[in-house]
Amino acid sequence: MTKHNRIPHFENEDQEREFWAHESPLDYFDPNEFKKISFPDLKPSLKSISLRLPEAMIAELKLLANKKDIPYQSLVKIFLARQINVERGSLAKDLENTTDYFEGG
């Protein structure tokens, strides 16, 4: 294990913020000593947005949600989450293909 620097005492958060803005945490913590933790009860922060949709689309969403016995806004979140995952997956595949192309793969 390598010796790490000691973190100084800070008088306030501004001092601490200024310190970490110019210092690497890797000089003060050993990544090999990190422990994986989870926060099973942590709820993500939610932010309200306004979204204008055609009335026919809202009616369809409400019908689909009713069949699944969930609120239609929850169904919209599910649909958005799925599409985000699809798009992220496509982006990851595009990056892999680009890397393969440049590496001659």
Side-chain angles (χ1 to χ4, degrees):
M1 180 172 129
T2 60
K3 182 175 177 165
H4 293 284
N5 298 331
R6 289 182 53 112
I7 300 172
H9 172 74
F10 304 106
E11 298 295 325
N12 54 48
E13 286 186 17
D14 289 335
Q15 263 188 354
E16 185 173 3
R17 235 185 319 276
E18 179 66 23
F19 177 82
W20 290 115
H22 302 287
E23 295 290 328
S24 170
L26 295 178
D27 293 335
Y28 295 85
F29 302 100
D30 183 358
N32 295 322
E33 294 177 3
F34 291 170
K35 295 178 180 152
K36 187 173 182 170
I37 61 171
S38 67
F39 301 96
D41 298 327
L42 186 64
K43 304 286 185 209
S45 298
L46 300 177
K47 182 173 181 166
S48 295
I49 64 166
S50 178
L51 185 63
R52 297 183 189 278
L53 299 173
E55 288 181 17
M57 184 181 290
I58 295 171
E60 285 294 323
L61 284 166
K62 287 181 177 181
L63 283 172
L64 290 170
N66 190 32
K67 287 180 183 177
K68 296 178 182 290
D69 198 29
I70 60 172
Y72 80 97
Q73 288 133 334
S74 297
L75 184 64
V76 170
K77 285 190 264 187
I78 291 168
F79 287 169
L80 287 171
R82 283 182 187 163
Q83 192 60 36
I84 288 168
N85 286 334
V86 166
E87 294 295 326
R88 280 188 164 171
S90 297
L91 178 61
K93 288 177 188 169
D94 288 346
L95 290 174
E96 286 174 12
N97 292 339
T98 302
T99 303
D100 289 345
Y101 174 79
F102 286 112
E103 292 177 355

